Amino acid sequence: MTTTAQTSSRSAGRAGDKVFSAATLAAGCLILAVLFGVALFLVVQAIPAFVAPPGEIQGGEGFFAYIWPIVIGTVIAAAIALVIATPIAIGVALFISHFAPRRLASGLGYVIDLLAAIPSVVYGAWGATFLASEISPAYTWLAANMGWLPIFEGPASATGKTILTAGIVLAVMVLPIITSLSREIFLQTPKLHEEAALALGATRWEMIRMAVLPFGRPGIISAIMLGLGRALGETMAVALVLSSGALTASLIQSGNQTIAAEIALNFPEASGLKVSTLIAAGLVLFVITLGVNMIARWIITRHKEFSGAN
């Protein structure tokens, strides 16, 4: 009787394993199918923009002349966001994981996670109504005192709605993402490694530098790349904050544009070839984001031993 029950239990377990394995395989294939479907749709819809005469594309010089300045603006805004957010996020993550008292660390971690749940349109409204006007005098000062640098060349925007303001807003948006992931990675550092470093006479910072940061480096890179993907694809916040215009090297002048904001602002009124042009711009953004994720995966794979990436 017992043998029969055990045999039945093992058979049910094997059947459950097969069902679960099939379900996970179907889920993985579904993701790939959706990704392929999106890519196929973008390519098919973008073909008219690629083959259209240059004079019919906005600007009159062809699609690639139209998209190139927008790609540069997208990269500039994302780069500003990462330059500002990355050191702050890593510092906050280290403070929560290794310096703050347990009660304070728990509350601060909850607040950081809550920031990630705020809708992007709220960040955009804050940037457009408050940050832009408050930071405008700083832009005037930069133009007057550091205008010899191309990135601070004047005249500064009177409204403050510049690519630098958009980058600051994006930095605030990606900050909780990088902080939360980095914090979890730092908390996974083996205690034996930390205690060994301290036992050898290392200070708290030396222990972090020798044990925590090397362990978490691939995870930090993954968090940064995830934040970069958010910054590259952000739409409403940039559309509300940035006064779009021609590509310019100055970060404090009105001008520049991102792909996502370009699509959001022009798609409702677009028709015919303009729709194909905007979809082609979306295809370019899709390729850029896919490339960023592939690079991140390659970096993590290279350093997956002795790391918090796995």
Side-chain angles (χ1 to χ4, degrees):
M1 185 73 176
T2 303
T3 304
T4 303
Q6 291 176 345
T7 302
S8 176
S9 177
R10 284 195 295 268
S11 299
R14 286 194 294 268
D17 288 343
K18 291 180 180 179
V19 171
F20 180 75
S21 177
T24 54
L25 177 62
C29 293
L30 178 62
I31 292 174
L32 293 177
V34 170
L35 184 64
F36 176 78
V38 170
L40 182 62
F41 168 81
L42 291 175
V43 170
V44 171
Q45 295 295 321
I47 288 177
F50 293 146
V51 301
E56 297 182 8
I57 303 295
Q58 181 177 332
E61 298 182 4
F63 174 75
F64 292 101
Y66 159 76
I67 197 63
W68 180 249
I70 307 177
V71 171
I72 297 298
T74 303
V75 173
I76 290 174
I80 293 172
L82 290 188
V83 168
I84 296 174
T86 299
I88 299 175
I90 294 176
V92 172
L94 285 173
F95 175 76
I96 294 175
S97 61
H98 286 82
F99 290 95
R102 183 179 300 272
R103 184 173 298 178
L104 176 61
S106 177
L108 188 57
Y110 175 77
V111 171
I112 294 296
D113 293 338
L114 188 62
L115 287 175
I118 298 177
S120 60
V121 68
V122 175
Y123 284 111
W126 166 75
T129 59
F130 175 78
L131 180 62
S133 59
E134 292 296 322
I135 206 172
S136 180
Y139 292 163
T140 304
W141 184 90
L142 287 172
N145 295 275
M146 302 187 68
W148 50 274
L149 289 174
I151 60 173
F152 296 132
E153 183 180 357
S157 171
T159 62
K161 294 184 176 182
T162 67
I163 193 72
L164 182 55
T165 306
I168 294 173
V169 173
L170 290 176
V172 176
M173 295 179 65
V174 304
L175 180 65
I177 298 174
I178 301 176
T179 301
S180 297
L181 294 178
S182 299
R183 178 194 66 204
E184 296 303 321
I185 293 297
F186 294 152
L187 289 174
Q188 293 177 19
T189 306
K191 292 299 180 182
L192 287 176
H193 297 171
E194 297 180 4
E195 293 172 357
L198 293 173
L200 290 173
T203 63
R204 180 73 65 88
W205 163 243
E206 289 172 338
M207 178 271 292
I208 290 174
R209 183 167 55 85
M210 293 186 297
V212 178
L213 292 180
F215 175 84
R217 181 174 56 187
I220 295 172
I221 295 173
S222 178
I224 293 172
M225 290 299 181
L226 187 60
L228 176 59
R230 172 72 185 274
L232 288 172
E234 181 50 47
T235 304
M236 289 309 300
V238 178
L240 291 172
V241 171
L242 182 61
S243 293
S244 60
L247 178 66
T248 175
S250 177
L251 304 180
I252 60 175
Q253 293 182 14
S254 297
N256 295 309
Q257 181 62 296
T258 67
I259 296 176
E262 175 78 5
I263 296 173
L265 293 174
N266 292 283
F267 202 87
E269 299 177 356
S271 62
L273 184 60
K274 181 63 176 179
V275 173
S276 296
T277 303
L278 295 176
I279 292 177
L283 175 62
V284 173
L285 181 60
F286 178 85
V287 172
I288 293 174
T289 306
L290 183 63
V292 166
N293 285 297
M294 291 178 65
I295 293 172
R297 179 53 55 188
W298 175 72
I299 294 174
I300 294 170
T301 302
R302 286 187 59 195
H303 301 89
K304 64 182 179 181
E305 290 83 9
F306 184 66
S307 74
N310 52 358

